[in-house]
């Protein structure tokens, strides 16, 4: 039986928290439409709306507290989303984009339950609020793969995982493992959500119902998915499989002996679909050390898993041979050099915009690569030259009248 959380833990959600969780420089991420973004910025700005702004923040805080502690009904308007297609190249992934109020409330809820979610999800699911969790997973798998007794690393991919996880199982698991989040999760996911699709040439939108999975635009979606996946992770734990493993949301990765990895893969295939996690063998890769390649081909014959002794992309980094790393990084560097050249051309007429795009967006791509891929400095030399000779010159160049 589910015991509702003590409402006192949510008293920290106040109007001040609502404003602090949504600073002005992130409104473009929360509200894609420019006009709607400006409306909400004005509504929550005390300098423009006076006391009305603080009253609205307090009202949103009260709504968050109520949804987190009380069973509510008829939340169709609150949970409704816009549906957009995401090009997966190949394929199409439907993504639900939550509206402003749901995002504001969700961020406040997560501020309260974050530590509870981390404890409930466990140390091997690094998407539940752990700082730099993805980077930790990358370094862990690389270090384990380098150990002498490790024969291979298996990277498991799932089909449309976020939209397919069994919602009833997920909500039941949250009630047991993380009661502080259970009431809010039940309020927002126990009933189907309406997804609105704009039809070209028509003023009337088509409405679809979301009955499974989580809404990827919802701030609590990642935490809920992590708790839902914990059922599967208990089944494939190291104590039962002898496979060293870590997960970032639906991206499972395990390392160890080939026979153990084969058993691990079998357990995922057998138990994953029952909770809505269907492994996609065609996009799952077994990265094996060269001396064990023939054995890996035999053991995983007929599984559909791609066996390689070269390497493969892993959470934005790479695992494999030095040659594969150089090839992978070389392609990335060529792409980044091209992007820097585009910014350099832009900087001749819009230097401030180009500099902002560089500092707030572009440079984070190779900063991540430098943190997660060792000994990458020599490969970044063309990028350094492009920044120094093209972008820096274009941004700092002073145009003279008549030139």
């Amino acid at each position: 039986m589910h015991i509702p959380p003590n409402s006192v833990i949510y008293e920290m959600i106040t109007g001040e928290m609502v404003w602090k969780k949504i600073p002005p420089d992130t409104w473009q991420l929360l509200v894609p439409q420019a006009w709607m973004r400006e409306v909400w910025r004005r509504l929550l700005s005390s300098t423009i709306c006076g006391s009305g702004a603080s009253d609205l923040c307090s009202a949103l805080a009260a709504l968050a507290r109520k949804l987190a502690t009380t069973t509510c009904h008829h939340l169709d308007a609150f949970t409704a989303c816009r549906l957009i297609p995401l090009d997966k190249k190949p394929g199409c992934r439907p993504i639900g984009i939550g509206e402003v109020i749901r995002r504001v409330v969700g961020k406040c809820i997560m501020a309260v339950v974050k530590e509870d979610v981390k404890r409930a999800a466990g140390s091997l699911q690094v998407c539940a609020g752990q700082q730099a969790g993805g980077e930790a997973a990358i370094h862990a798998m690389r270090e384990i793969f380098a150990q002498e007794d490790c024969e291979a690393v298996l990277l498991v991919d799932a089909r449309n995982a976020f939209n397919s996880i069994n919602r009833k199982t997920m909500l039941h698991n949250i009630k047991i493992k993380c009661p502080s989040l259970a009431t809010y999760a039940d309020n927002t996911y126990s009933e189907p959500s309406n997804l609105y699709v704009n039809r070209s040439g028509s003023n009337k939108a088509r409405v679809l119902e979301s009955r499974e999975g989580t809404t990827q635009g919802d701030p609590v979606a990642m935490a809920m998915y992590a708790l839902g996946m914990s059922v599967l992770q208990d089944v494939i734990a190291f104590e039962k499989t002898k496979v060293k493993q870590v997960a970032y949301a639906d991206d499972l990765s395990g390392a160890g002996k080939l026979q153990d990895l084969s058993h691990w893969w079998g357990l995922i295939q057998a138990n994953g679909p029952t909770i809505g996690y269907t492994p996609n063998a065609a996009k799952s890769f077994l990265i094996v050390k060269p001396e064990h390649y023939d054995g890996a081909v035999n053991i995983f014959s007929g599984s559909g898993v791609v066996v390689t002794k070269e390497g493969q992309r892993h959470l934005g980094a790479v695992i494999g041979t030095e040659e594969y790393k150089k090839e992978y990084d070389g392609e990335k560097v060529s792409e980044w050099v091209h992007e820097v050249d585009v910014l350099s051309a832009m900087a001749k007429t819009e230097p401030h915009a180009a500099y902002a795009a560089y500092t707030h967006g572009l440079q984070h791509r190779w900063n991540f690569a430098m943190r997660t891929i060792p000994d990458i400095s020599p490969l970044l030399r063309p990028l350094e030259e492009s920044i120094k000779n093209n972008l820096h010159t274009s941004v700092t160049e002073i145009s003279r009248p008549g030139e």
Side-chain angles (χ1 to χ4, degrees), residues 204-367:
K204 187 176 181 180
R206 183 180 181 184
V207 182
L208 304 177
E209 283 192 343
S210 172
R211 294 180 175 272
E212 296 289 0
T214 60
T215 301
Q216 294 191 30
D218 184 3
V220 305
M222 189 69 85
M224 292 180 60
Y225 188 86
L227 295 170
M229 276 287 292
S230 63
V231 176
L232 177 61
Q233 289 183 274
D234 291 341
V235 175
I236 62 174
F238 176 80
E239 293 78 10
K240 302 176 182 179
T241 60
K242 304 304 178 186
V243 171
K244 298 177 181 178
Q245 56 197 274
V246 67
Y248 186 83
D250 60 316
D251 291 312
L252 296 177
S253 52
K257 302 289 186 181
L258 289 171
Q259 291 289 353
D260 294 334
L261 287 171
S262 178
H263 176 57
W264 188 66
W265 169 253
L267 288 175
I268 294 174
Q269 284 188 307
N271 296 278
T274 60
I275 66 166
Y277 184 89
T278 305
N280 185 1
K283 292 186 177 180
S284 298
F285 290 84
L286 182 72
I287 307 167
V288 61
K289 292 180 178 178
E291 61 269 25
H292 300 291
Y293 179 75
D294 292 337
V297 172
N298 291 330
I299 292 173
F300 281 84
S301 176
S303 67
V305 174
V306 181
V307 180
T308 175
K309 56 184 176 181
E310 303 299 329
Q312 180 59 32
R313 181 180 181 272
H314 178 225
L315 298 178
V318 63
I319 296 179
T321 63
E322 285 296 316
E323 291 75 16
Y324 184 86
K325 184 183 77 172
K326 290 180 181 179
E327 178 183 352
Y328 174 85
D329 291 336
E331 294 177 357
K332 286 294 182 181
V333 170
S334 298
E335 178 184 340
W336 295 334
V337 168
H338 173 70
E339 291 172 345
V340 169
D341 291 341
V342 171
L343 277 186
S344 301
M346 181 194 304
K348 294 179 180 179
T349 55
E350 299 288 343
H352 294 290
Y355 182 73
Y358 170 75
T359 55
H360 294 290
L362 194 57
Q363 70 173 353
H364 296 298
R365 298 187 181 185
W366 53 79
N367 284 345

Side-chain angles (χ1 to χ4, degrees), residues 55-284:
D55 292 342
L56 177 58
C57 289
S58 297
L60 291 178
L63 174 63
R65 294 193 299 269
K66 183 177 180 63
L67 290 173
T69 58
T70 307
T71 298
C72 302
H73 303 284
H74 308 298
L75 296 174
D76 297 5
F78 182 79
T79 60
C81 300
R82 289 172 293 113
L83 188 66
I84 63 170
L86 179 66
D87 187 2
K88 294 292 289 184
K89 298 181 180 179
C92 177
R93 177 73 52 80
I95 303 294
I97 305 299
E99 297 301 326
V100 177
I101 294 180
R102 185 175 184 180
R103 289 178 173 236
V104 172
V105 170
K107 288 175 74 69
C108 292
I109 297 295
M110 283 305 302
V112 176
V113 303
K114 180 178 178 180
E115 294 303 319
D116 292 343
V117 170
K118 287 165 62 175
R119 285 191 294 269
S123 59
L124 296 182
Q125 176 57 268
V126 296
C127 76
Q130 292 87 343
Q131 188 173 6
E135 295 182 28
I138 293 169
H139 290 298
M141 281 296 108
R142 181 182 294 112
E143 291 177 6
I144 294 172
F145 185 59
Q147 296 173 1
E148 292 185 4
D149 60 342
C150 180
E151 297 177 350
V153 170
L154 178 56
L155 308 179
V156 181
D157 182 76
R159 294 186 180 92
N160 198 14
F162 272 85
N163 291 329
S164 301
I165 190 169
N166 187 286
R167 198 172 281 185
K168 288 185 177 180
T169 301
M170 179 178 63
L171 293 175
H172 175 75
N173 204 43
I174 291 173
K175 289 178 182 179
I176 296 173
K177 290 201 167 189
C178 190
S180 59
L181 179 61
T183 301
Y184 181 77
D186 198 58
N187 280 332
T188 52
Y189 284 95
S190 62
E191 297 294 331
S193 302
N194 291 328
L195 305 177
Y196 291 84
V197 186
N198 288 328
R199 294 187 291 184
S200 58
S202 173
N203 294 327
K204 187 176 181 180
R206 183 180 181 184
V207 182
L208 304 177
E209 283 192 343
S210 172
R211 294 180 175 272
E212 296 289 0
T214 60
T215 301
Q216 294 191 30
D218 184 3
V220 305
M222 189 69 85
M224 292 180 60
Y225 188 86
L227 295 170
M229 276 287 292
S230 63
V231 176
L232 177 61
Q233 289 183 274
D234 291 341
V235 175
I236 62 174
F238 176 80
E239 293 78 10
K240 302 176 182 179
T241 60
K242 304 304 178 186
V243 171
K244 298 177 181 178
Q245 56 197 274
V246 67
Y248 186 83
D250 60 316
D251 291 312
L252 296 177
S253 52
K257 302 289 186 181
L258 289 171
Q259 291 289 353
D260 294 334
L261 287 171
S262 178
H263 176 57
W264 188 66
W265 169 253
L267 288 175
I268 294 174
Q269 284 188 307
N271 296 278
T274 60
I275 66 166
Y277 184 89
T278 305
N280 185 1
K283 292 186 177 180
S284 298

Side-chain angles (χ1 to χ4, degrees), residues 339-356 386 389-400 403:
E339 291 172 345
V340 169
D341 291 341
V342 171
L343 277 186
S344 301
M346 181 194 304
K348 294 179 180 179
T349 55
E350 299 288 343
H352 294 290
Y355 182 73
S386 179
N389 297 330
N390 297 333
L391 182 60
H392 182 268
T393 301
S394 299
V395 169
T396 58
E397 188 178 45
I398 301 177
S399 298
R400 295 182 176 85
E403 291 187 350

